Amino acid sequence: IKILQELNWKVNIKKNDIVIANQGFDLASTDWGKQIVIIFDHQDVLVNSIAFGRYSTISPFHWFANRNREKKFIQKFLEDNNR
């Protein structure tokens, strides 16, 4: 949760095995909002980032940006766990 807050994500759902956080619309952005889903599955941590287009549709045009957001989160997660 701390990592998400550092990366300016607003946590909407937090349970033992899943966290869902959002970033809203930003005038400097080319999307209409973002969501990151983190699933804790035993020893695995699964991360998925989604960018939304108009009317909350999933935007396929932000694939590379989504992967970069996932990599940024994973890197921070690994750094924090190695301390």
Side-chain angles (χ1 to χ4, degrees):
I1 302 298
K2 182 181 102 182
I3 297 168
L4 290 171
Q5 292 170 341
E6 288 174 11
L7 296 173
N8 298 318
W9 290 91
K10 179 184 173 200
V11 176
N12 291 356
I13 297 173
K14 179 186 171 216
K15 296 184 179 179
N16 289 340
D17 57 348
I18 190 167
V19 174
I20 300 175
N22 290 60
Q23 287 181 337
F25 174 75
D26 180 4
L27 289 175
S29 181
T30 58
D31 58 54
W32 292 73
K34 303 166 197 65
Q35 183 177 73
I36 193 163
V37 179
I38 304 155
I39 300 172
F40 302 96
D41 184 29
H42 304 286
Q43 293 130 339
D44 297 325
V45 178
L46 309 169
V47 180
N48 186 40
S49 176
I50 305 164
F52 295 102
R54 293 181 70 185
Y55 311 112
S56 298
T57 58
I58 295 174
S59 173
F61 304 108
H62 296 91
W63 189 88
F64 290 105
N66 289 336
R67 300 302 75 81
N68 286 335
R69 276 190 290 280
E70 292 167 3
K71 287 178 186 177
K72 186 183 288 187
F73 173 81
I74 291 167
Q75 181 180 9
K76 291 279 272 178
F77 182 82
L78 292 173
E79 287 172 4
D80 279 12
N81 284 332
N82 287 333
R83 289 183 188 172

